[in-house]
Amino acid sequence: MSNMIHIDEKWLYINPETRRFNLLPKEEDPYRCQQSRRFKIKAMFIGIIGKPLYDAQGHLIHDGKYDIFPFVFQQMAKKKSKNRDAGTLETKPIQNINREAIRDMLLNNVIPAIVSKWPANMPKDVVIQWDNARPHQIPQDEEFIAATRQGGFNIRIVFQPAQSPDLNVLDLGLFRVIQSL
């Protein structure tokens, strides 16, 4: 289990009506626009976590925390509003998470985060465990295979067995805590 990394994605919903803020006495209430009461602001995040690693003396080598990345894109604002000028760069969530979005996230964020934070004295055979969701298809193109082999790494992706929520570490811990906040 020392070379096992868990990744999973989760839609997180933000409800402005029930959101609480801790403000200083002189701070103004934050402005939150909402299209309608039925419209909920949501964003998808992918989390990467592994087992904490210790040496023989019990000292922490690696904490197992890699990162959490949002599925977002940036575009220029087309119109002026009271929040921003026209032409201002704004960040928007990707609403349709498909194979291409997953592939881009793996290539540009997940694999580089694992390679950069992996302990140097550990073997570079890494297994990524993932759930069996429909858009989770392992890319087989040459660019992706080269990314999993860069720097002497051997990164493999395996799927957890169907109907086994007890193996999904991120849903059981991290995402429940974030959603409750």
Side-chain angles (χ1 to χ4, degrees):
M1 289 298 289
S2 62
N3 66 341
M4 181 78 66
I5 295 174
H6 300 273
I7 64 172
D8 196 16
E9 65 281 335
K10 173 83 171 159
W11 283 108
L12 297 176
Y13 295 92
I14 302 168
N15 188 353
E17 294 174 1
T18 61
R19 215 163 155 202
R20 295 182 182 187
F21 294 94
N22 293 327
L23 302 173
L24 294 173
K26 295 181 181 179
E27 275 187 299
E28 294 181 16
D29 289 338
Y31 172 75
R32 294 284 178 192
C33 63
Q34 184 176 347
Q35 291 180 352
S36 72
R37 290 195 180 274
R38 289 183 286 167
F39 178 76
K40 291 187 176 181
I41 302 168
K42 65 179 182 175
M44 182 177 270
F45 292 87
I46 189 166
I48 313 165
I49 196 165
K51 179 182 175 187
L53 303 173
Y54 297 92
D55 62 7
Q57 291 78 27
H59 298 105
L60 183 67
I61 297 172
H62 180 58
D63 60 2
K65 298 174 187 173
Y66 289 93
D67 220 331
I68 186 165
F69 297 104
F71 282 90
V72 294
F73 66 96
Q74 293 188 336
Q75 73 177 21
M76 302 297 261
K78 295 176 184 170
K79 296 181 179 179
K80 181 181 176 180
S81 73
K82 69 178 187 178
N83 297 325
R84 67 189 175 287
D85 292 328
T88 304
L89 195 63
E90 60 182 353
T91 303
K92 296 200 170 212
I94 298 174
Q95 296 298 322
N96 184 19
I97 307 300
N98 54 18
R99 283 184 219 165
E100 292 304 315
I102 295 286
R103 181 187 177 279
D104 290 341
M105 182 62 70
L106 289 172
L107 272 177
N108 300 326
N109 295 325
V110 173
I111 293 174
I114 292 170
V115 169
S116 68
K117 294 185 180 181
W118 191 257
N121 57 350
M122 292 288 296
K124 295 186 177 185
D125 291 326
V126 179
V127 178
I128 297 175
Q129 184 177 355
W130 211 358
D131 61 356
N132 260 331
R134 185 169 291 154
H136 298 171
Q137 306 217 344
I138 303 170
Q140 297 299 326
D141 59 292
E142 294 165 7
E143 182 184 8
F144 185 79
I145 292 171
T148 60
R149 304 279 187 249
Q150 71 178 348
F153 278 86
N154 180 21
I155 299 175
R156 295 181 297 124
I157 299 175
V158 297
F159 295 113
Q160 66 189 28
Q163 306 299 326
S164 57
D166 54 333
L167 294 177
N168 197 340
V169 174
L170 290 166
D171 277 342
L172 293 174
L174 179 69
F175 290 137
R176 280 192 184 172
V177 171
I178 291 174
Q179 187 66 51
S180 69
L181 292 175

